[in-house]
Amino acid sequence: MTLELVLSHKETVADGVVRLTLRAPGGEPLPAWEPGAHVDLVLPGGVRQYSLCGRPEDTSAYQVAVLREADGRGGSAYVHDELVAGQRVSLEGPRNHFALVDAKRYLFVAGGIGITPILPMLERVAATGREWQLVYGGRTRSSMAFTEDVSRHEGRVTLRPQDEHGLLDLPGLLAEPQPDTAVYCCGPEPLLAAVERHCAGWPEDALHVERFTPKADEGARTAFEVELAGSGRVLTVPADRSILEVVEDSGAPVLSSCREGTCGTCETGVLGGTPDHRDSVLDAAEQRAGDVMMICVSRSCTPRLVLDL
């Protein structure tokens, strides 16, 4: 779903981080969302994914926080330097591939701007009275957004600026699997990879991560065929092209956004064959099931895939 919203407010919430409040031009209620959801902002230079960090019960506005990326592609610089209150902003979504599951206990691990999807999660969990803990790290205390918001939960929140405490003590935090505990992590790729490594001994469905940058694609690339079930057409996907590109060239209607396996827009049903998953959206169980795939980056383990297109 594409929405045309208006930036009603822009404020600095940490060093290099601004929060945007977006509303419908006529004040209409916005589509509902649940903790973990994100929207895709259409910015000069491309589409960028940002987690919703406001209150799901507030349908009058969406809020996202944007970190200035020194080595980015220009989207965050535009938001920080040029976007002003009153401007129109196009966005797609909301979508949720980081949904809050039902658990007896929750451990939230956030790094830097990765606090944004976790904010509404911990508020939802806190309202239920269930046990939870947040460990939140960042480069410096002043670079960590929303510390006042999370610090209201005395005794459950640990703030660890790196220049004061060093890296998060993940071995101590994750060494022993905790029963009936869901672990949620969002942040820079080194943190996500480290949490995944330290959770190797936990139950497979315990860990939930969200990436907004693609994982390194080091798999071999070979040609294969895709059959479009709706028409019966068979297309060849060369080693140097994606399924998405080939399907688009064929004229078949298909949705896409990030084109790097992080947003989930191009999720497509698989009716035959075995996908070679290379996305950053599906968890291990979903990838094993093999009934959906992200056709912008994933490939095939079998000579042909049959897609629900």
Side-chain angles (χ1 to χ4, degrees):
M1 177 187 300
T2 300
L3 300 173
E4 294 291 332
L5 304 185
V6 174
L7 176 64
S8 65
H9 190 59
K10 174 181 171 181
E11 61 179 321
T12 299
V13 292
D15 291 347
V17 180
V18 293
R19 175 167 55 189
L20 310 181
T21 301
L22 302 160
R23 303 181 187 273
E28 305 90 345
L30 299 178
W33 59 281
E34 289 293 311
H38 74 270
V39 293
D40 304 337
L41 296 191
V42 182
L43 302 172
V47 178
R48 304 291 183 269
Q49 291 82 47
Y50 297 105
S51 296
L52 291 169
C53 59
R55 295 181 296 112
E57 61 270 20
D58 180 9
T59 60
S60 70
Y62 288 157
Q63 290 189 332
V64 299
V66 180
L67 170 69
R68 179 189 287 275
E69 299 279 2
D71 299 321
R73 295 169 291 174
S76 66
Y78 170 80
V79 168
H80 278 256
D81 299 336
E82 301 184 44
L83 192 62
V84 297
Q87 279 187 244
R88 296 286 183 108
V89 178
S90 296
L91 64 81
E92 298 174 357
R95 302 185 181 91
N96 199 340
H97 295 281
F98 196 42
L100 189 64
V101 300
D102 187 40
K104 290 184 178 179
R105 303 176 189 84
Y106 296 86
L107 171 59
F108 300 107
V109 182
I113 199 65
I115 189 64
T116 52
I118 288 175
L119 278 175
M121 287 185 177
L122 62 85
E123 294 297 340
R124 174 69 59 83
V125 172
T128 69
R130 298 187 188 185
E131 184 179 341
W132 64 275
Q133 177 187 4
L134 167 67
V135 179
Y136 176 19
R139 290 178 292 103
T140 64
R141 192 173 295 272
S142 62
S143 72
M144 297 167 64
F146 308 116
T147 54
E148 290 186 6
D149 299 70
V150 300
S151 294
R152 294 187 297 104
H153 302 282
E154 188 175 354
R156 295 187 181 273
V157 174
T158 303
L159 302 179
R160 285 290 182 267
Q162 185 176 344
D163 63 339
E164 298 176 23
H165 301 278
L167 296 175
L168 296 181
D169 180 18
L170 297 180
L173 188 65
L174 301 169
E176 293 295 329
Q178 301 299 312
D180 304 315
T181 300
V183 181
Y184 277 82
C185 180
C186 189
E189 180 58 31
L191 173 65
L192 298 179
V195 168
E196 288 176 330
R197 189 166 59 251
H198 288 294
C199 281
W202 286 60
E204 184 182 67
D205 59 354
L207 177 60
H208 308 265
V209 301
E210 181 164 54
R211 286 178 165 89
F212 285 132
T213 56
K215 292 186 288 188
D217 181 0
E218 299 175 350
R221 299 176 67 89
T222 58
F224 56 94
E225 294 180 337
V226 292
E227 178 181 336
L228 309 186
S231 64
R233 296 180 62 189
V234 176
L235 309 173
T236 298
V237 181
D240 62 348
R241 303 197 72 200
S242 69
I243 299 173
L244 175 63
E245 291 170 331
V246 171
V247 171
E248 285 179 331
D249 285 353
S250 77
V254 60
L255 297 176
S256 68
S257 181
C258 74
R259 309 179 82 89
E260 58 185 17
T262 58
C263 75
T265 306
C266 70
E267 180 177 307
T268 301
V270 179
L271 305 179
T274 303
D276 176 6
H277 297 286
R278 304 189 184 192
D279 64 275
S280 302
V281 177
L282 301 176
D283 62 28
E286 291 169 328
Q287 291 188 351
R288 273 201 313 276
D291 53 1
V292 296
M293 67 184 300
M294 306 303 155
I295 61 173
C296 64
V297 293
S298 295
R299 303 190 68 77
S300 182
C301 296
T302 50
R304 179 180 291 189
L305 291 173
V306 183
L307 301 180
D308 189 15
L309 288 173

